[in-house]
Amino acid sequence: MAPTAKIADNNNAVELTRDIFNEWFKEEFTTTMTEREETRTRSIVIIATKGTIDWAYPPFILATTAAAMGWDVTIFFSFYALELLKKEMSLGITPIGNPAMPMKMPVGPTWFRDIKWRIPNAIMSNIPWFEEFTKGLFERTLKQHGVATISELRELAVEAGVNIVACQMTVDLFGYKKHDFIEEINEWGGAATMLPVAADADICMFI
């Protein structure tokens, strides 16, 4: 074989080795990254800002579900959401100005329960104790469907190891006393405390 042919064969051998190495590297890299993704612990940060019954459910349900899946979970309670951390919760609910809230009765025959009571705000706001009445109906509906109470969900979150952070600025702003809150709060902090945690989380939600 001529020297030039040998050189060509050598070049082909070098190119073949490079191709094989590149393919091997891609496969190893893909496998390693897949295994790393499957074994790493995901994280979620939930920023809760509301203090009514209907708005209390989303952060606790999401947090307890994520914790049950093995995720690292942090809930940052700010402004009115601090009501959800009090030892004695007194949460309300209001349909006024909330057209998405279904006004259905949890009692009576099926046809009666299916009625959507579209009551104008002007009427609702002038009926004494209307919000308390609505709260009672809402709580009864939740109970009939076997939905856990906010207290029960909070206990589940604590037992599941959810990191509970209370906004210190809100405490100072509203004149709250720390002894009014549950002892299971992991940290009292502010935006500077939460932003680094949120930046590293896989998911960050504002509720």
Side-chain angles (χ1 to χ4, degrees):
M1 188 177 291
T4 53
K6 289 181 179 179
I7 294 173
D9 287 342
N10 288 339
N11 287 339
N12 288 336
V14 171
E15 291 296 325
L16 180 60
T17 301
R18 183 181 296 118
D19 290 341
I20 292 176
F21 173 79
N22 287 340
E23 187 64 28
W24 170 84
F25 179 81
K26 289 179 181 178
E27 291 179 359
E28 287 295 311
F29 179 80
T30 301
T31 301
T32 301
M33 294 304 294
T34 300
E35 292 176 350
R36 179 181 177 185
E37 182 67 19
E38 291 176 350
T39 57
R40 78 180 183 86
T41 302
R42 295 183 179 275
S43 60
I44 181 172
V45 170
I46 302 171
I47 302 173
T49 61
K50 307 296 192 300
T52 57
I53 297 175
D54 50 342
W55 280 98
Y57 275 97
F60 281 124
I61 290 176
L62 289 168
T64 52
T65 301
M69 295 170 63
W71 291 26
D72 284 335
V73 186
T74 297
I75 309 180
F76 179 56
F77 294 86
S78 182
F79 278 79
Y80 310 114
L82 278 178
E83 294 291 327
L84 309 182
L85 297 181
K86 286 188 174 181
K87 294 176 182 177
E88 300 293 334
M89 286 187 291
S90 181
L91 307 179
I93 189 171
T94 177
I96 300 176
N98 183 9
M101 183 177 179
M103 292 297 297
K104 290 187 176 183
M105 295 295 178
V107 295
T110 302
W111 66 266
F112 184 72
R113 295 189 185 193
D114 288 339
I115 298 175
K116 288 187 177 181
W117 302 88
R118 302 197 178 280
I119 305 174
N121 288 344
I123 295 178
M124 287 190 289
S125 60
N126 284 288
I127 298 178
W129 306 104
F130 186 80
E131 291 190 356
E132 285 297 316
F133 174 70
T134 304
K135 175 184 175 181
L137 293 178
F138 189 71
E139 289 178 331
R140 184 163 182 173
T141 300
L142 292 170
K143 185 176 182 179
Q144 287 180 347
H145 287 79
V147 179
T149 64
I150 300 302
S151 296
E152 292 170 340
L153 286 174
R154 188 174 70 180
E155 290 178 10
L156 287 175
V158 171
E159 292 175 1
V162 172
N163 185 37
I164 298 177
V165 182
C167 180
Q168 180 63 53
M169 186 203 74
T170 304
V171 172
D172 298 336
L173 180 66
F174 291 169
Y176 287 143
K177 304 298 181 183
K178 287 187 177 180
H179 59 73
D180 292 331
F181 295 90
I182 59 174
E183 298 177 356
E184 291 81 3
I185 294 175
N186 300 108
E187 187 174 0
W188 300 84
T193 300
M194 285 308 303
L195 287 176
V197 180
D200 292 335
D202 294 291
I203 300 175
C204 184
M205 305 184 69
F206 182 89
I207 299 176

